[in-house]
Amino acid sequence: MKTLVIFFSLVLTLTVRAQEPNEIMYQAYLQLSKSLWVKALDIQKAEAAQSPNDFQTQLKLAYAYSSLLNGSMALNDEEFFDEYLSDAKKHVKKLVEKNPQSGEAAAILSSIYGNEMGYSPMKGMTLGSKSNSLAEKGITLEPHSPLVWRVYANSKYYTPKAFGGDINEAIQAYEKCIAAFEAKPEQVKNNWMYIDTMAFLGQVYKETGRTADAIRMYEKALTVEPNFLWVKKTLLPAAQRNMASE
């Protein structure tokens, strides 16, 4: 009986380990699933609790928080966002303070501020310059990180032109983000940010009149993930209709 208990305990442990947070977040993104976002975050919280002084483990938790908050935007669920915002900011601010040379930590905090402004545009008066400064710090410190380029791209895209926004710089940064992902193929597997960046770049291409480039980017995203329904059902057909009418 004791042997049987140990066996089932081992199976359970292996099953939990097999559920990698990145894979769970990827499915959360594709399925627009709050429960999967929370599941991934809870796994990272447990790992962070076991290694409170390990920077990489704490950075993974920061990324999980940021990913969940970003996921709330797609769900258009401000209540879900607010539920996790305070803990997310507390954790990431502490991480930035303790690790001032981490470009990725700075970028994650910038992203959280950006999402906060997305729900409450008036906060741009106090958070805008902070978010932009952190985004710029990210690419200065870690210019080979796809995460920092994605955050910088968003900063340039969503910031009004009068305050430093630049859609052409945003395009270049989105392109650099994708290139940085693809420089290390292991980074693109089950990575929600990789396919999301392709979707965003396609939209910005279309916005600037580069419809053919948008279609190619959407088709590339579907090659990576055939079940990317946002692209398959909405973005690509819209771009194709636009191309046909030009």
Side-chain angles (χ1 to χ4, degrees):
M1 183 65 178
K2 183 177 180 181
T3 302
L4 190 60
V5 171
I6 292 173
F7 170 76
F8 280 118
S9 177
L10 177 59
V11 170
L12 179 61
T13 300
L14 291 175
T15 300
V16 171
R17 288 179 179 174
Q19 297 175 323
E20 292 292 336
N22 283 343
E23 182 176 349
I24 297 171
M25 287 191 286
Y26 185 70
Q27 291 303 321
Y29 173 81
L30 290 176
Q31 299 175 35
L32 299 176
S33 171
K34 286 199 293 187
S35 62
L36 288 178
W37 283 121
V38 173
K39 182 177 181 179
L41 179 63
D42 286 345
I43 291 173
Q44 290 295 178
K45 281 182 177 179
E47 292 184 3
Q50 292 177 354
S51 304
N53 298 315
D54 181 74
F55 169 69
Q56 288 300 325
T57 303
Q58 300 304 317
L59 185 65
K60 288 179 181 178
L61 176 56
Y63 179 68
Y65 268 123
S66 177
S67 297
L68 179 149
L69 296 178
N70 184 82
S72 82
M73 304 293 288
L75 291 161
N76 193 28
D77 192 333
E78 188 170 1
E79 184 176 339
F80 183 49
F81 178 85
D82 289 340
E83 183 178 352
Y84 291 93
L85 177 61
S86 179
D87 286 346
K89 288 169 66 173
K90 181 179 179 180
H91 176 76
V92 182
K93 282 181 177 180
K94 182 178 179 181
L95 195 65
V96 170
E97 290 170 1
K98 292 179 66 175
N99 303 274
Q101 296 305 308
S102 171
E104 291 191 332
I108 290 171
L109 184 55
S110 171
S111 176
I112 291 174
Y113 286 150
N115 286 335
E116 194 172 359
M117 289 184 285
Y119 280 115
S120 304
M122 289 300 295
K123 289 185 178 181
M125 299 294 291
T126 56
L127 297 180
S129 60
K130 292 180 181 179
S131 181
N132 292 341
S133 295
L134 287 163
E136 291 175 1
K137 179 180 179 180
I139 61 169
T140 298
L141 292 174
E142 297 191 56
H144 300 297
S145 164
L147 186 155
V148 303
W149 281 111
R150 171 55 194 268
V151 172
Y152 183 78
N154 282 358
S155 175
K156 287 298 178 181
Y157 180 64
Y158 286 108
T159 299
K161 188 175 181 179
F163 296 98
D166 188 315
I167 196 167
N168 292 316
E169 278 194 56
I171 288 173
Q172 293 173 12
Y174 284 128
E175 291 172 338
K176 287 180 179 179
C177 173
I178 292 170
F181 270 124
E182 294 172 351
K184 296 182 179 180
E186 69 275 8
Q187 294 184 123
V188 305
K189 183 180 179 182
N190 295 330
N191 193 313
W192 74 265
M193 186 178 286
Y194 175 55
I195 61 172
D196 187 66
T197 302
M198 286 190 278
F200 262 78
L201 180 55
Q203 291 177 90
V204 183
Y205 278 153
K206 184 172 178 289
E207 184 178 334
T208 54
R210 297 171 59 178
T211 309
D213 288 333
I215 290 172
R216 281 193 289 270
M217 187 55 57
Y218 294 147
E219 289 174 341
K220 178 178 179 178
L222 289 174
T223 298
V224 175
E225 178 47 71
N227 293 317
F228 195 178
L229 298 183
W230 180 32
V231 169
K232 187 175 184 177
K233 300 294 187 180
T234 303
L235 298 181
L236 178 57
Q240 290 171 330
R241 289 194 298 270
N242 192 72
M243 175 67 81
S245 65
E246 289 181 351

